[in-house]
């Protein structure tokens, strides 16, 4: 019988390339066919290792999900950026490599991000998802998020609707 260790820990500068790799795989999986191809490629390319290294140096809070020694997911969080949602914290991003989705690992990572927000005195949380990202919307709804606001996001000349989920 073998055991695989699952760890959630804060990201460090040396993790930038692994975070960029997870970002690349997860975004292509989640947004191909939703975000126009050229815009998606630009966004993925822009968020390479040097971008992540800079974000971590500037103090961005990123939690990593490590499965069997491999970084397979991340969540970034901080102060809520949308005052109309009336919560203190926001989970800005939560992504897993596609082959690790649907196993309950995202739930663990989300819980860790919420715990980090609470430890900083940020009560409640929000998370945004593109309306067409059915998997993410269902994920946040299963976690008890209440659809609380709608907005739009522009990708080149395409405008897509997005939803805000809130936990109090």
């Amino acid at each position: 019988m073998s055991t695989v260790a699952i760890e959630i820990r804060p990201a460090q500068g040396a993790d930038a390339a692994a975070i960029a790799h997870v970002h690349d795989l997860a975004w292509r999986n989640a947004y191909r066919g939703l975000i126009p191809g050229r815009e998606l490629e630009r966004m993925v390319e822009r968020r390479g290792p040097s971008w992540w290294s800079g974000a971590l140096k500037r103090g961005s809070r990123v939690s990593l999900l490590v499965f069997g020694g491999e970084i397979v997911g991340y969540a970034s969080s901080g102060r809520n950026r949308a005052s109309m949602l009336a919560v203190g914290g926001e989970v800005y991003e939560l992504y897993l490599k596609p082959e690790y989705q649907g196993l309950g690992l995202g739930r663990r990572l989300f819980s860790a991000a919420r715990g980090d927000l609470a430890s900083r005195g940020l009560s409640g949380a929000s998370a945004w998802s593109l309306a067409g990202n059915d998997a993410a919307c269902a994920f946040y709804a299963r976690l008890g998020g209440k659809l609380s606001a709608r907005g739009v996001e522009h990708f080149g000349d395409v405008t897509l609707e997005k939803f805000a989920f809130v936990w109090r």
Side-chain angles (χ1 to χ4, degrees):
M1 180 171 164
S2 65
T3 303
V4 176
I6 299 172
E7 174 189 12
I8 297 176
R9 65 169 176 81
Q12 302 168 354
D15 299 317
I19 299 168
H21 182 64
V22 171
H23 175 268
D24 182 312
L25 295 174
W27 274 52
R28 290 178 197 282
N29 182 63
Y31 301 122
R32 186 172 281 128
L34 188 58
I35 295 175
R38 179 181 227 180
E39 296 301 318
L40 178 59
E41 288 303 314
R42 285 182 185 157
M43 294 174 80
V44 168
E45 288 172 14
R46 187 180 80 220
R47 302 280 292 278
S50 63
W51 188 93
W52 285 104
S53 180
L56 293 170
K57 283 179 186 170
R58 289 187 302 278
S60 292
R61 298 288 284 248
V62 179
S63 299
L64 301 179
L65 184 104
V66 183
F67 184 89
E70 176 187 0
I71 294 171
V72 301
Y74 73 90
S76 64
S77 61
R79 291 195 176 282
N80 173 33
R81 299 172 290 186
S83 60
M84 81 268 205
L85 297 176
V87 292
E90 181 177 347
V91 177
Y92 303 136
E93 295 185 51
L94 190 149
Y95 292 102
L96 296 170
K97 288 183 173 182
E99 63 269 30
Y100 292 90
Q101 295 174 11
L103 304 174
L105 299 172
R107 179 180 294 271
R108 292 173 83 164
L109 188 55
F110 183 80
S111 179
R114 289 280 319 269
D116 184 54
L117 291 170
S119 75
R120 292 186 275 157
L122 299 172
S123 62
S126 64
W128 289 86
S129 176
L130 289 178
N133 186 346
D134 296 336
C137 291
F139 172 74
Y140 290 132
R142 280 193 309 276
L143 292 176
K146 303 296 182 217
L147 181 58
S148 300
R150 295 170 186 258
V152 296
E153 200 71 38
H154 303 283
F155 301 95
D157 56 356
V158 173
T159 300
L160 298 175
E161 186 177 25
K162 64 182 181 177
F163 296 146
F165 294 86
V166 169
W167 296 262
R168 304 237 181 250

